[in-house]
Amino acid sequence: MVQHVLVAPDKFKGSLTAAEVASRVSAGLGVPTVELPIADGGDGTVDAAVAAGFGRVTIEVTGPTGERIPASYAWQPTGTAVVELSEASGLRRLPGGHEPLTATSYGTGELIADAVRRGAKRVVLGLGGSASTDGGAGMAQALGARLLDADGADLPRGGAALKNLARIDMSGFLDIAGVEFVVASDVDNPLLGPHGAAAVYGPQKGATPDDVKTLESALSRLAAIATTTHGLMGAVEHDDIVRAMGVAGAPGAGAAGGVGFAALAFLHAEIRPGIDYLLDLLGFGEQVKGARLVITGEGSLDEQSLRGKAPIGVAQAAAGAGVPVVAVCGRRTLSDDDLKAAGIEAAYALTDLEPDPARCMEQAGPLLERLAARLAADRRLAADA
């Protein structure tokens, strides 16, 4: 039996999807391959699930600034849905620039609601690339929660409006009995404080220092009202860490502008390491069996990669199966020693072939095929087939 090469890359952001990367690498190798595009919960998670055999469901939802947009989630007939926040509520969905105070996660809630009504028994929520800092309030509103001011009026969407929150009415909340919610995220920030959603991620979404103060105050109000009027401490008692720290202080509560908080608070979700969970979901363990090599990668192999990003997760999973790993990327700043410590034997970058970053982005596909051919020659893949 001919051993295969497992090609399991993440996307090259801005140029190639994970599926396109896998296809180009396979074409350049010229040996038997199995393609398994992957993701860590951010952009491309739905595409990766679809490539692994899930179906795609597309509906119209509310974008981060209120416009109606088509957005997709992945669906498995056994009852598992994979919802990617960036599909409905991501930065890439902003039509005219950042809206740090008013952007909403409402559309993500609409995707979840559709999946639950379709009969989902498990919803995997990938967090990453969020356009909003609303503490997941928009998501909760889309699922039927009413966020009310002191006069009993519904709050407008967006994080800043939460400063006027007085009460949360859950009487019309979607029936989620019997549905398991899993948040796939490697972010461990709490909701509030110097390491929280507003302080750390607000500026990335266009928030000024004054905006950050406004959002921090608004998120504090959400946390206080939710904890005192909604009994959140009891809602998540299955998690000792959450019980000890409170929902707002739980690791991951600050993910995606605080959507992690709402997932813990209102969906009773469990937060799992993004890449590890998704590798299991996508069937990496089965596909790596009998492989002689795993090729992973992403657009930039850098210090951020070492913080639980997809290629490192792949390397760790492959190590457990005793299969060597090499990586392809657009560029890399990690040393050979850094890579080897992470379980990656070697890395091949497009900038090895083309030093101009702009041309690397424009010609990523053909360059990647050439890079894969070089990798195959270096590893003597054809000779060993």
Side-chain angles (χ1 to χ4, degrees), residues 217-254:
S217 176
L219 293 177
S220 297
R221 183 72 178 169
L222 171 65
I225 296 297
T227 300
T228 57
T229 69
H230 187 53
L232 294 186
M233 293 301 290
V236 288
E237 284 186 354
H238 63 279
D239 189 323
D240 289 339
I241 295 176
V242 173
R243 185 168 68 246
M245 301 183 68
V247 180

Side-chain angles (χ1 to χ4, degrees), residues 97-346:
H98 295 156
E99 297 288 347
L101 300 180
T102 57
T104 178
S105 58
Y106 196 94
T108 297
E110 290 176 301
L111 289 176
I112 293 171
D114 191 81
V116 171
R117 294 185 181 116
R118 187 175 292 270
K121 298 302 179 187
R122 176 172 57 168
V123 176
V124 180
L125 178 58
L127 300 186
S130 168
S132 67
T133 309
D134 71 347
M139 181 182 78
Q141 288 172 312
L143 292 170
R146 294 186 66 196
L147 307 184
L148 307 172
D149 64 18
D151 296 323
D154 289 283
L155 294 182
R157 296 169 196 167
L162 295 171
K163 67 181 182 297
N164 295 319
L165 179 64
R167 185 166 64 89
I168 300 173
D169 179 358
M170 296 290 289
S171 61
F173 200 74
L174 181 70
D175 183 4
I176 57 172
V179 184
E180 174 193 8
F181 290 90
V182 178
V183 170
S185 174
D186 293 306
V187 171
D188 60 3
N189 302 73
L191 179 66
L192 305 171
H195 302 293
V200 174
Y201 299 109
Q204 298 175 13
K205 303 169 190 179
T208 66
D210 285 343
D211 291 340
V212 169
K213 291 178 182 177
T214 297
L215 291 168
E216 178 74 10
S217 176
L219 293 177
S220 297
R221 183 72 178 169
L222 171 65
I225 296 297
T227 300
T228 57
T229 69
H230 187 53
L232 294 186
M233 293 301 290
V236 288
E237 284 186 354
H238 63 279
D239 189 323
D240 289 339
I241 295 176
V242 173
R243 185 168 68 246
M245 301 183 68
V247 180
V259 171
F261 169 80
L264 286 169
F266 302 114
L267 301 178
H268 308 171
E270 178 184 5
I271 296 182
R272 299 278 298 276
I275 183 59
D276 295 344
Y277 186 82
L278 286 164
L279 286 176
D280 286 343
L281 188 70
L282 300 176
F284 181 88
E286 285 300 311
Q287 300 291 1
V288 78
K289 290 178 180 176
R292 55 179 167 150
L293 180 68
V294 172
I295 300 175
T296 188
E298 63 180 343
S300 179
L301 274 176
D302 52 31
E303 287 295 326
Q304 290 235 347
S305 303
L306 299 177
R307 299 175 185 169
K309 300 284 277 185
I312 306 306
V314 169
Q316 292 171 344
V323 181
V325 178
V326 297
V328 293
C329 58
R331 69 182 187 103
R332 72 153 173 161
T333 60
L334 295 176
S335 69
D336 290 343
D337 288 342
D338 288 335
L339 291 169
K340 287 175 181 174
I344 297 174
E345 292 188 358

